[in-house]
Amino acid sequence: MGWGGRGTQLEEIPRGFLFSWGGMEALELAGREGRARPWGETRDSQISAVVLLQLWTATSLNNAGWLKILVIAYFFGSFLNHNLFLAIHELSHNLAFSKPVYNRWLGIFANLPIGVPMSVTFQKYHLEHHRFQGVDGIDMDIPSETEAQLVTNVVTKSIWVVLQLFFYALRPVLLKPKPPGWWELVNFVIQIALDAAMVHFWSWKSFAYLILSTFVGGGMHPMAGHFISEHYVFKPEQETYSYYGPLNLLTWSVGYHNEHHDFPRIPGTKLHKVKQIAPEYYDSLESYKSWSQVIYMYIMDRMVGPFSRIKRKAKKSE
C-alpha cells in the first residue's frame, strides 16, 4: 500500500510523522470519533432514507414515459444509487458497526435500489485492492491487457467510460473468479426478490429506472469520475489521487483517497481530519477539484488510458 500513492510502505514512514507531533494520538482520535458512535442514529438512517426515497421514486414511475424515466434516472436517481454504492464501500471496511455481520446486513440493504446483487462480492475484491494495490492478477481494479489494447482513442475511451461499470463487474469474473459463498447467496436471493416484487407489483419500468440509475450513474457522470481519478496516473510517480470538491458531501468523502488508502479504518466522514493533521504529507500531492474535468482529461489526453496504472508483480507468498 503506497503512502500518498508514492509507493512508500507504511513501515517505512519516518517515525517523526507518527510520533514527534502526537500524530498517532490524533489519528487514533479521528478513528475513535468515527467508530465510537454506531451508525444507528445517523449513518444507517441516512442509508435508509436514500434507499426508501429511491424505491419510492421507482414505484412512482411505473407508468411514466421512457424519456422521463431516463431524465430522472440521470439527474436524480444516479446520485442516489452512487451514494449507496459508496456507502457499501464504507461498509466493506466494517466502518459502521464493530461486528462485521451488522455491516454486511446493512450493505445488503443498501444494495436494494442498485438492482444487481454486488455488496458481498464487492467486499471480497475491494479488500484485496487495498492489500495488494496494483499487483497484477490480484488487484481487480487494474484494467485488463485487452482493455489497454483496445481502448486507445477518444471514441473507444468514451465508450469505455460509458460502460465502465460493466468492465468493473466482468473483470473479476473473467480474470479471477471466486466461488460464491453463503453470504453471496443471501445477497442474491434478497436482491432478486426485491427486483421481482418491483416488477410484479408495479412494472418493468420501475425496475428499469433502478437499473438505469445505476448504469448512468457509473458511466459518463460527474460522480463516476472518482473511478478514474483515484488511481489513473496523470502525473508521473504519483499512484493515488485525492479529490477535494463538493461532491464529497454526496459520496461519503471517497474523494479523500490518499487519506483513505493510508488509513482505511477511519470512516470517510473523518478523513478530512487526517489531511488537517498532516498537511505536509498531502498538500504537496496532485489533487482534483472536479471529477467531470478528470473524465474529460482521461478521454482527450492521448497519453492516458486503461494502461495508465502502476502495476506490481505478485510475490511468491501472495
Side-chain angles (χ1 to χ4, degrees), residues 76-130:
F76 180 70
S78 58
F79 289 91
L80 298 184
N81 275 14
H82 212 101
N83 174 276
L84 292 172
F85 176 79
L86 292 170
I88 289 171
H89 167 258
E90 288 275 293
L91 294 165
S92 73
H93 289 279
N94 296 318
L95 293 175
F97 303 104
S98 57
K99 290 187 177 182
V101 66
Y102 296 160
N103 294 277
R104 188 158 289 180
W105 277 118
L106 186 55
I108 291 173
F109 176 70
N111 195 156
L112 292 177
I114 293 174
V116 179
M118 48 73 64
S119 64
V120 176
T121 302
F122 172 81
Q123 183 182 41
K124 280 186 176 181
Y125 288 100
H126 182 68
L127 295 183
E128 284 191 341
H129 163 64
H130 275 267

Side-chain angles (χ1 to χ4, degrees), residues 121 124 177-185:
T121 302
K124 280 186 176 181
K178 294 176 179 287
W182 167 253
W183 276 105
E184 281 167 304
L185 177 61

Side-chain angles (χ1 to χ4, degrees), residues 29-40:
L29 175 62
R32 286 200 303 274
E33 286 182 352
R35 295 193 298 272
R37 292 192 299 262
W39 279 12

Side-chain angles (χ1 to χ4, degrees), residues 202-215:
W202 286 276
S203 71
W204 280 101
K205 288 185 175 181
S206 295
F207 175 64
Y209 165 76
L210 296 179
I211 296 298
L212 280 172
S213 295
T214 299
F215 174 71

